[in-house]
Amino acid sequence: MALLDTLVTTGVGALSATVGVLVGGIVTHRAQDRQWLRDKQLLAYQELISHYAKFTMTISRAHAGRQGWDYDWSEWSATLTRASLVAPAAVAAEIDNFAKAIDGFLNKVARDPARDPTRDPLSQEEFAQANRAPAQAQVQLVNAMRRSLSKDQEALPFWMGGSLASSSDDT
């Protein structure tokens, strides 16, 4: 009887240890997956905002300096796609809204042949006005990104980076 008690106790102990290892492995794997996704999201978000800042400044300088400009729009498109692939649905929706605002901005400052920066550049005020919708969409996007990375992040009330729109006359 003592041998049977020893075998049962040993078996239960071994089974408990095995279950503990399996559960620990699952929990650790999930935590690693979440951390990997957060790291990928952060990189994609940084890249997206960086591209926005770069092309906004490029176009702004072209209008201010009455000069031509060029930008790799395929990289912008790829950046939007990469960010959307790793973003939660709410952030992906804000990325789409931001991209639509950028498209409208580009129609005003980059695609309109009548407003060629070398012949008829936009004034700084006109450029800021054209960039207003993207700047507002950027605030929404950045705040969605911040919330997706941590529920503890507070919303930012202002835009930054590539936005050259003035917030001084906001109503």
Side-chain angles (χ1 to χ4, degrees):
M1 192 60 140
L3 180 61
L4 183 60
D5 287 343
T6 303
L7 286 175
V8 168
T9 303
T10 303
V12 168
L15 182 61
S16 295
T18 302
V19 169
V21 168
L22 290 174
V23 169
I26 291 169
V27 169
T28 299
H29 183 70
R30 284 187 182 167
Q32 288 173 337
D33 283 351
R34 279 193 302 273
Q35 184 61 45
W36 178 87
L37 182 58
R38 276 181 39 88
D39 290 347
K40 293 298 180 191
Q41 287 170 336
L42 182 57
L43 287 173
Y45 297 167
Q46 288 171 333
E47 182 183 28
L48 180 63
I49 297 301
S50 174
H51 270 280
Y52 169 55
K54 286 178 189 174
F55 74 69
T56 302
M57 293 305 296
T58 297
I59 298 170
S60 173
R61 284 188 200 124
H63 280 277
R66 299 181 75 100
Q67 59 194 22
W69 60 275
D70 190 25
Y71 195 79
D72 184 359
W73 294 110
S74 64
E75 206 33 55
W76 168 247
S77 181
T79 300
L80 287 170
T81 302
R82 282 190 294 271
S84 296
L85 283 172
V86 296
V91 177
E94 290 299 336
I95 290 170
D96 186 54
N97 290 337
F98 182 61
K100 288 175 183 171
I102 293 297
D103 194 51
F105 166 73
L106 293 175
N107 285 337
K108 294 174 187 172
V109 303
R111 295 181 185 136
D112 183 355
R115 294 312 298 255
D116 182 333
T118 60
R119 291 188 305 277
D120 185 21
L122 293 170
S123 69
Q124 188 174 16
E125 294 80 26
E126 290 171 315
F127 193 89
Q129 183 58 35
N131 198 19
R132 198 160 214 32
Q136 292 167 347
Q138 181 208 31
V139 172
Q140 297 301 313
L141 174 58
V142 166
N143 285 326
M145 290 171 170
R146 289 167 59 87
R147 281 189 304 273
S148 79
L149 294 170
S150 172
K151 301 298 182 213
D152 296 332
Q153 291 284 342
E154 293 183 29
L156 299 178
F158 54 86
W159 48 71
M160 74 296 294
S163 175
L164 302 174
S166 171
S167 61
S168 61
D169 57 352
D170 283 345
T171 54

